[in-house]
Amino acid sequence: MKKLKIITIAIFIANLFFGCEKDDICEDGTPTTPRMIVEFYDNLEPTAKKTITNLGIVADGMSTGILYNGVSKIEVPLQTTADITKYSFIYDSQNVDVSLRNEDKITINYIRTDVFISRACGYKTVFSLLDNPNGIVKTIDTDNWIKEIVIQKYKILNEDEVHVKIFF
């Protein structure tokens, strides 16, 4: 009887240890798919950051977008299911006089790489912008407000650094 009690207790303790599973929780702060960081600069003074107001950004095929107001740096998401993302950058997008809004279209070309983070978090996508002039292409029109686009970092691994500078 004493042996049976010891065996029962041993089995119970073994079940406690072997029956438990490791918690699979993706903790806050775990790196996720980064967005492209864009910073705006004055075209006349290329080292001076410039604040932009009423900038609307609309993804290709969408009718609504994101409004940025009073910022010099923005985060732009890229598609994780395609090697190209198209946006309309609309200067003065909230102007009631639609004729005063100025829309420049850009196409961002890149290569995607999925990187395994953990079982709980899954994968994140990192992006490698293609070399200029094909990395970011601006549609040329008669009234471009974006004067120049310069790629600073071709690999988009995180959101800690500026990837692209836009001069206007």
Side-chain angles (χ1 to χ4, degrees), residues 87-136:
Y87 281 107
S88 291
F89 279 55
I90 307 164
Y91 186 79
D92 205 10
S93 67
Q94 298 297 301
N95 197 318
V96 290
D97 186 350
V98 177
S99 67
L100 295 177
R101 297 176 188 173
N102 191 339
E103 180 179 3
D104 286 358
K105 295 182 181 216
I106 65 167
T107 302
I108 307 159
N109 298 295
Y110 48 85
I111 297 170
R112 297 168 287 130
T113 306
D114 291 330
V115 177
F116 182 72
I117 302 300
S118 69
R119 193 170 77 179
C121 300
Y123 290 84
K124 76 174 189 173
T125 303
V126 295
F127 306 95
S128 297
L129 297 173
L130 299 183
D131 289 339
N132 275 339
N134 298 322
I136 299 178

